[in-house]
Amino acid sequence: MHNYNLIQLTLSLDKFRHNYVIGYTSGVFDILHSAHIDYLHKCQNKCDILVIGVDDDYLVAMKKGIDRPYQCLTERLENLSRLGIASFLLKKTDSFTKIAPVLCPDVYFIPHNKELSKSKMNSIESLGITIETFPYTKGLSTTLIIKKLKNAMKYSDENINASTLKQSHA
């Protein structure tokens, strides 16, 4: 699968526009997990052609903090490509409101926990794009996985330090 920039992708999609429903979703997809995969399958089932925008490393650092992403853009794109869910992958460098007028998908998929301002919703809908939401998988996210791993490592380090102290005093 080829990873596209916005202009390449738009040109590639032009031949499909009249006969197929083009859907778009996006995200970070850092440390891909089952909730990502379930969500993407739901998106895929609601359109003929699914475009997945993957936030570039700069966007991720701005949204999630300077220690993110854990996996670089190339690795995240490769992981998504291996799933075979996306028709096209987009290296996303901007917000959907800036991408939408150029890409012009028929449907924009978002998890229901993603809030869009009224002006963004109106802007998207004024382009004839339908917004479809899917339930967010509560209790499973990359952020929660990372938090659990960090806590487990901290707990392990504390036990190792306590064990070392006991051995040195024995």
Side-chain angles (χ1 to χ4, degrees):
M1 172 172 304
H2 189 77
N3 303 319
Y4 291 86
N5 69 38
L6 186 57
I7 301 303
Q8 292 170 321
L9 178 58
T10 302
L11 292 171
S12 295
L13 288 174
D14 281 347
K15 61 185 167 205
F16 300 110
R17 291 198 188 280
H18 300 291
N19 300 315
Y20 299 94
V21 174
I22 299 171
Y24 176 83
T25 193
S26 66
V28 176
F29 305 107
D30 193 15
I31 307 178
L32 195 63
H33 53 72
S34 62
H36 287 137
I37 296 166
D38 291 345
Y39 170 75
L40 293 173
H41 276 296
K42 288 175 186 173
C43 296
Q44 181 188 40
N45 290 333
K46 294 284 189 169
C47 62
D48 300 309
I49 296 170
L50 178 61
V51 177
I52 301 175
V54 183
D55 294 3
D56 74 1
D57 294 344
Y58 177 78
L59 280 180
V60 177
M62 294 292 94
K63 287 182 190 176
K64 305 279 186 176
I66 59 169
D67 62 334
R68 297 280 302 275
Y70 286 100
Q71 297 174 306
C72 69
L73 177 62
T74 302
E75 192 172 351
R76 292 180 285 127
L77 287 165
E78 287 173 8
N79 288 340
L80 286 168
S81 179
R82 284 188 198 107
L83 291 176
I85 296 172
S87 305
F88 297 93
L89 292 170
L90 171 67
K91 297 174 185 176
K92 186 173 168 247
T93 59
D94 219 329
S95 69
F96 183 66
T97 51
K98 292 186 179 172
I99 292 170
V102 179
L103 187 61
C104 294
D106 300 299
V107 186
Y108 177 40
F109 302 110
I110 59 172
H112 83 269
N113 68 324
K114 181 174 183 174
E115 293 186 30
L116 295 177
S117 68
K118 274 273 194 220
S119 64
K120 280 186 182 178
M121 284 184 69
N122 292 339
S123 171
I124 292 166
E125 289 172 343
S126 73
L127 294 169
I129 300 168
T130 303
I131 299 170
E132 181 140 358
T133 61
F134 293 113
Y136 175 74
T137 306
K138 201 169 184 115
L140 182 57
S141 72
T142 299
T143 302
L144 289 173
I145 290 169
I146 292 166
K147 194 177 207 177
K148 286 179 185 178
L149 288 171
K150 285 181 176 180
N151 285 339
M153 289 170 51
K154 182 180 172 189
Y155 177 77
S156 177
D157 287 346
E158 287 171 358
N159 283 342
I160 290 169
N161 291 337
S163 169
T164 304
L165 280 174
K166 285 180 187 176
Q167 289 174 358
S168 68
H169 290 336

